[in-house]
Amino acid sequence: MNKSKKKKRGVFRFGFRAAIYISLISAVFVFLLMWLGYNFTAKDAGSVSALIGGVIFLTSYAVIYFVTHNRIDTIERLFKNMARKRFMEYENVTSTHNDEVDYLVKQGIKSSRTIEREIQRLNRIENYRKEFIGDISHELKTPIFAIQGFIETLLNGALEDEEVNRDFLKKAMRNVNRLIYLTKDLMEISKLETGELKSEIEEIYLYEVLHDIIESLNYKAEKENIELVIHNFDKNIKVRADKNQVKQVLINLVENGIKYNMPNGKVEVNVFTKPKQSERVFVSVKDTGIGIDEKDIPRVTERFFRVDKSRSRERGGTGLGLAIVKHIMEAHGEKFSIESEPNKGSTFTISLRRSDPVQV
């Protein structure tokens, strides 16, 4: 009841003041007209003007109240809800009158929607921050505790045991390396997600980039007994991209294919075009690995998501590789797609804008 009374009082005051001004001005005008123009006595002119002023007051107040009370009520609700961070759909009451009050209602609704979007954005950022900190804490905990355990064991006497001391130190070093890779990837994805890392677009020869990558990863593939194959394509293909970032994308994809492959498996790199997208070149990395469940495909580009957690940690994976790929391709305005089936391998495909006509 109190809120309703306050709303009515607000509309009442607005209409009352406006009606008072209108009736006073009208009464003075009628008084002067009758007294000076029609030679009425001051008393008679005053009586008539007072009567007319009263009628004008009541009429004006009724018209103003009828025309504005719903819209003023809407404005009041708008700003109260904004102050309380409550947002709702407001009925559009501006179609009939198109006056200054309508303008205020429109601006109020626009401001409410802007504030709502901004609060939603800030909430997403806050949730992202909490989730990110939780993920980092979880990922750092495992290698740190492992290093702590190995060092404590060595200090408690294992350091003098030549049969185990070197083995423990190697395991500790492996976890140190994992922390280094994790820190590096975290810095990289943080810069990508905040937009701090800008892409320096230039014309690059795709053939050189791919063959440099295959050459650098051949040793790792041979060590895992994986065959690396790059299918022939035109050496003169040039694309517009950031060379270092594209290298990072392709290294992540090929390493992923090696890491999650089957024994004696294969990783194939293929470059091709599509008739309907002649302005782009597509690079696919196909493996014969463990594959990904259909339900997990949308999630593999999330930070720290792993299809095979134990295997990924064992191989030193940070769970950030595909997230970095996704962000780099988005920064380039390009596409990154995944096709996969469990135990039938996966195909990761990226698009790149070409800078000259090519024949693949």
Side-chain angles (χ1 to χ4, degrees):
M1 289 295 292
N2 290 336
K3 288 183 180 179
S4 178
K5 286 180 180 178
K6 285 181 181 178
K7 288 177 183 177
K8 288 179 180 177
R9 196 181 301 148
V11 179
F12 172 81
R13 286 174 180 171
F14 174 79
F16 183 82
R17 285 196 299 269
I20 283 285
Y21 297 146
I22 293 169
S23 61
L24 281 176
I25 293 169
S26 300
V28 170
F29 178 77
V30 170
F31 175 80
L32 292 174
L33 181 66
M34 297 185 73
W35 183 40
L36 299 175
Y38 293 97
N39 298 320
F40 274 62
T41 63
K43 184 179 179 181
D44 291 340
S47 298
V48 173
S49 61
L51 179 63
I52 292 174
V55 172
I56 290 173
F57 169 81
L58 292 172
T59 304
S60 299
Y61 177 77
V63 170
I64 291 169
Y65 186 88
F66 176 76
V67 169
T68 62
H69 77 282
N70 282 334
R71 295 180 293 163
I72 290 175
D73 181 56
T74 299
I75 292 170
E76 186 177 12
R77 282 190 291 117
L78 271 167
F79 287 100
K80 280 185 178 179
N81 287 335
M82 278 192 274
R84 295 168 183 167
K85 298 179 183 177
R86 295 177 183 171
F87 304 96
M88 61 187 73
E89 288 297 322
Y90 294 95
E91 185 182 353
N92 189 354
V93 293
T94 64
S95 58
T96 306
H97 307 287
N98 198 26
D99 55 16
E100 290 81 357
V101 179
D102 271 0
Y103 176 77
L104 288 175
V105 173
K106 288 178 182 177
Q107 293 304 311
I109 292 172
K110 191 183 291 184
S111 300
S112 174
R113 288 170 180 164
T114 301
I115 293 169
E116 181 181 11
R117 285 194 298 269
E118 186 63 18
I119 289 174
Q120 287 172 349
R121 187 184 71 83
L122 292 172
N123 286 337
R124 283 196 300 270
I125 291 171
E126 178 63 17
N127 291 335
Y128 167 83
R129 185 187 66 82
K130 289 177 180 176
E131 183 185 336
F132 195 49
I133 290 172
D135 288 340
I136 293 171
S137 301
H138 178 74
E139 292 298 322
L140 291 176
K141 183 171 63 178
T142 304
I144 288 173
F145 285 172
I147 293 166
Q148 182 184 33
F150 292 134
I151 291 174
E152 284 180 352
T153 304
L154 288 167
L155 290 174
N156 289 335
L159 187 62
E160 312 303 327
D161 188 341
E162 293 184 0
E163 292 183 6
V164 297
N165 57 11
R166 187 170 293 275
D167 183 48
F168 275 34
L169 286 170
K170 284 180 180 178
K171 288 178 180 178
M173 191 62 199
R174 200 155 49 235
N175 280 278
V176 169
N177 287 333
R178 184 177 162 200
L179 282 175
I180 292 169
Y181 296 142
L182 180 58
T183 305
K184 177 177 170 292
D185 282 352
L186 282 170
M187 290 175 65
E188 189 81 16
I189 201 166
S190 176
K191 288 178 181 178
L192 285 166
E193 290 182 339
T194 58
E196 184 182 341
L197 189 64
K198 302 297 182 183
S199 300
E200 296 181 7
I201 306 298
E202 58 179 324
E203 288 189 355
I204 57 175
Y205 283 97
L206 193 55
Y207 183 89
E208 292 179 3
V209 172
L210 277 170
H211 277 267
D212 283 348
I213 291 166
I214 297 302
E215 189 177 324
S216 66
L217 294 176
N218 250 328
Y219 171 75
K220 184 176 286 188
E222 288 173 2
K223 188 177 177 183
E224 299 293 336
N225 203 21
I226 303 296
E227 182 185 1
L228 269 184
V229 177
I230 180 166
H231 293 282
N232 289 328
F233 64 96
D234 190 346
K235 294 181 180 181
N236 296 317
I237 294 177
K238 286 196 292 185
V239 296
R240 292 187 56 78
D242 184 303
K243 187 174 183 178
N244 291 329
Q245 289 182 8
V246 168
K247 266 191 171 182
Q248 187 176 6
V249 164
L250 293 169
I251 286 171
N252 283 356
L253 293 179
V254 175
E255 280 189 333
N256 217 55
I258 295 169
K259 189 186 302 176
Y260 294 103
N261 221 312
M262 299 289 191
N264 302 312
K266 182 190 290 187
V267 175
E268 297 178 77
V269 180
N270 192 27
V271 177
F272 60 95
T273 57
K274 295 180 181 179
K276 292 183 180 179
Q277 298 186 52
S278 57
E279 75 283 1
R280 282 183 166 81
V281 173
F282 296 86
V283 183
S284 68
V285 179
K286 182 179 180 181
D287 63 59
T288 56
I290 62 175
I292 307 166
D293 282 332
E294 187 178 353
K295 63 180 175 61
D296 290 332
I297 289 177
R299 298 199 60 201
V300 292
T301 54
E302 293 178 10
R303 300 182 318 273
F304 302 112
F305 183 84
R306 295 181 175 91
V307 175
D308 186 340
K309 293 180 173 60
S310 60
R311 187 174 183 183
S312 183
R313 286 198 173 96
E314 184 185 332
R315 300 291 183 91
T318 63
L320 294 170
L322 292 181
I324 289 171
V325 170
K326 177 188 173 186
H327 282 292
I328 289 176
M329 298 319 298
E330 285 178 349
H332 279 70
E334 299 295 342
K335 299 291 184 183
F336 171 48
S337 62
I338 304 169
E339 296 175 16
S340 185
E341 286 185 53
N343 301 315
K344 291 186 179 180
S346 305
T347 302
F348 301 90
T349 306
I350 63 168
S351 66
L352 294 168
R353 185 171 293 276
R354 69 189 198 185
S355 57
D356 60 342
V358 296
Q359 293 180 350
V360 180

